[in-house]
Amino acid sequence: MRYSDFSVTDFTLDEYFQSWVFNRGDESVDRFWKNWIMDHPEKSADIAEARRILQAIEFKNHTLTEGELAQLWSRIHQTEDVTPMGRKSSPGGYLFLKYAAAIALLAVVTAAYLFSGHKPWKEYRTAYGKTEEIELPDGSRVVLNANSTLTLMSEWNDDSDREISLNGEAFFSVVHTANDQLFKVNTAEGVTVEVLGTTFNVYNRTNETKVVLNSGQIRLNLPNAESGEKILMKPGEMIEYKEQRYKKKSVDPQLYSAWTNNKIILNRTSLSEMISMLKDNYGLEVKVADPVLLKQTVSGSMPLGDPEVLLKQMAMAFQLKIRREGNVIIAEDTNENP
């Protein structure tokens, strides 16, 4: 069943929804539900009611027997069959049964979750300096860049959108399905990339999203777009979204996806941009003694790999001398006096 077809009870019993309500510290789950609610405002009342039920629950170490579970389901059906007039005459009893049913069933779900280790979603994480190639349930492929997280439901239905959440950077090669299933990539800023089948790169870090289209066509849904307006992108275009504003420009897509081939291509790339990349992908904190150096640019290419080798190549390209002070790397102009 699709989330768009869920009732209040369905949301209450859904493990992925529970994970969001109980705030288990997973930012990707939080992004998914915020983006989903934004796309399905007609379900906001059901979502709010399900949240109220869950937040009223305090779990106890108790599991039901099969007999108790059967009785519980019987009570739920009896409660759902009560007429609106009956509900008005005994609201306290109705709410008690609803909360009691939710508590008991959630105890069962939680126990099963804890003992089986099963999750209804998958999460892929990459460490600093590491990339990973992932095959999705539909045969689409993703190359996940370093220090990135990709989250998706474990099983995709043929009659629902293919939907994932991204924090970091990834290159997508999306297959087109026979029934024209929409493929969605959600980011923390509320940007949603919608495609049927294409190749594109998504960068989502430090409150900024960049989408570069290599082939095919993309529809972008921005959180501040008026009247649900969606931006159409063509190959060779990039959309940059930051602080609720966006701009579109023409670029060479290969510059933004070269990392998938373990190299970076510099095209009048500034030292400031290089430092941001080192922090994003390697977790390196680089400080420049003279801020003027940050505006220097170079062109060329460098292989990605060992961060020490990359630092040395950056030093040669920008004519810098590099030294360490603990975990901080200081970059200075080679012409500066010692």
Side-chain angles (χ1 to χ4, degrees):
M1 183 186 294
R2 298 177 298 179
Y3 281 133
S4 57
D5 297 327
F6 268 32
S7 65
V8 172
T9 302
D10 294 327
F11 282 117
T12 306
L13 299 178
D14 185 78
E15 295 175 15
Y16 200 55
F17 185 80
Q18 294 170 26
S19 181
W20 175 56
V21 173
F22 292 123
N23 190 21
R24 292 171 181 160
D26 193 327
E27 294 181 359
S28 60
V29 176
D30 185 58
R31 286 194 301 274
F32 172 85
W33 282 108
K34 287 181 178 178
N35 288 330
W36 191 90
I37 293 169
M38 186 180 300
D39 291 338
H40 301 83
E42 73 281 0
K43 303 297 290 186
S44 58
D46 289 345
I47 292 287
E49 177 65 9
R51 283 179 62 89
R52 281 194 292 271
I53 293 173
L54 289 172
Q55 289 167 347
I57 292 170
E58 181 178 356
F59 283 105
K60 299 184 183 296
N61 292 325
H62 174 70
T63 57
L64 298 180
T65 65
E66 291 185 4
E68 289 173 328
L69 186 58
Q71 291 179 6
L72 176 61
W73 274 117
S74 176
R75 292 174 67 188
I76 292 173
H77 292 315
Q78 290 173 7
T79 302
E80 290 178 345
D81 290 339
V82 175
T83 62
M85 183 66 70
R87 290 181 182 179
K88 290 180 182 179
S89 64
S90 181
Y94 171 74
L95 290 176
F96 171 79
L97 286 177
K98 182 164 68 172
Y99 286 173
I103 291 171
L105 283 178
L106 284 168
V108 175
V109 172
T110 302
Y113 168 79
L114 292 175
F115 287 106
S116 70
H118 172 72
K119 292 183 180 180
W121 67 93
K122 288 184 179 180
E123 183 176 85
Y124 299 90
R125 291 178 179 268
T126 50
Y128 284 121
K130 303 293 183 180
T131 62
E132 182 178 357
E133 187 168 348
I134 302 161
E135 183 173 355
L136 301 180
D138 64 342
S140 298
R141 305 193 71 84
V142 181
V143 183
L144 192 61
N145 205 353
N147 185 31
S148 300
T149 304
L150 187 74
T151 307
L152 65 152
M153 300 302 291
S154 299
E155 298 180 0
W156 285 359
N157 298 322
D158 292 339
D159 59 348
S160 61
D161 294 340
R162 301 169 286 172
E163 196 158 4
I164 66 174
S165 295
L166 172 69
N167 181 23
E169 185 172 18
F171 181 81
F172 297 85
S173 181
V174 179
V175 299
H176 181 224
T177 61
N179 60 343
D180 294 332
Q181 276 181 286
L182 200 60
F183 188 102
K184 293 183 178 181
V185 180
N186 300 312
T187 72
E189 283 65 52
V191 177
T192 299
V193 184
E194 299 181 352
V195 302
L196 294 176
T198 184
T199 57
F200 57 98
N201 196 84
V202 179
Y203 171 97
N204 171 232
R205 302 188 195 271
T206 59
N207 301 317
E208 180 181 19
T209 298
K210 296 179 183 179
V211 180
V212 178
L213 180 58
N214 291 57
S215 64
Q217 190 178 69
I218 279 178
R219 288 199 305 264
L220 282 188
N221 186 5
L222 302 181
N224 63 332
E226 296 181 0
S227 303
E229 177 188 3
K230 296 182 179 180
I231 302 171
L232 292 178
M233 292 182 62
K234 298 178 181 179
E237 291 183 336
M238 177 173 74
I239 293 288
E240 294 179 285
Y241 179 82
K242 188 174 184 179
E243 297 178 347
Q244 299 187 340
R245 296 190 179 188
Y246 80 91
K247 58 182 178 180
K248 179 191 293 187
K249 60 182 179 181
S250 297
V251 299
D252 180 357
Q254 300 305 317
L255 298 179
Y256 296 88
S257 58
W259 63 267
T260 62
N261 295 316
N262 295 316
K263 66 178 180 179
I264 54 174
I265 299 177
L266 310 176
N267 181 21
R268 290 180 291 180
T269 302
S270 68
L271 178 59
S272 177
E273 292 172 317
M274 279 290 297
I275 291 174
S276 295
M277 186 275 292
L278 289 168
K279 182 176 181 179
D280 290 341
N281 295 348
Y282 294 93
L284 297 175
E285 191 70 30
V286 181
K287 293 186 177 181
V288 177
D290 184 359
V292 175
L293 297 175
L294 295 173
K295 298 180 181 181
Q296 290 186 358
T297 63
V298 297
S299 297
S301 64
M302 296 181 186
L304 289 175
D306 185 275
E308 296 297 331
V309 174
L310 188 58
L311 281 171
K312 290 180 180 178
Q313 294 202 4
M314 183 185 77
M316 288 188 293
F318 287 92
Q319 297 184 353
L320 302 171
K321 57 183 178 181
I322 292 177
R323 59 186 173 87
R324 282 184 178 272
E325 293 183 358
N327 294 325
V328 178
I329 298 168
I330 307 297
E332 300 173 316
D333 192 337
T334 55
N335 296 320
E336 289 183 0
N337 295 324

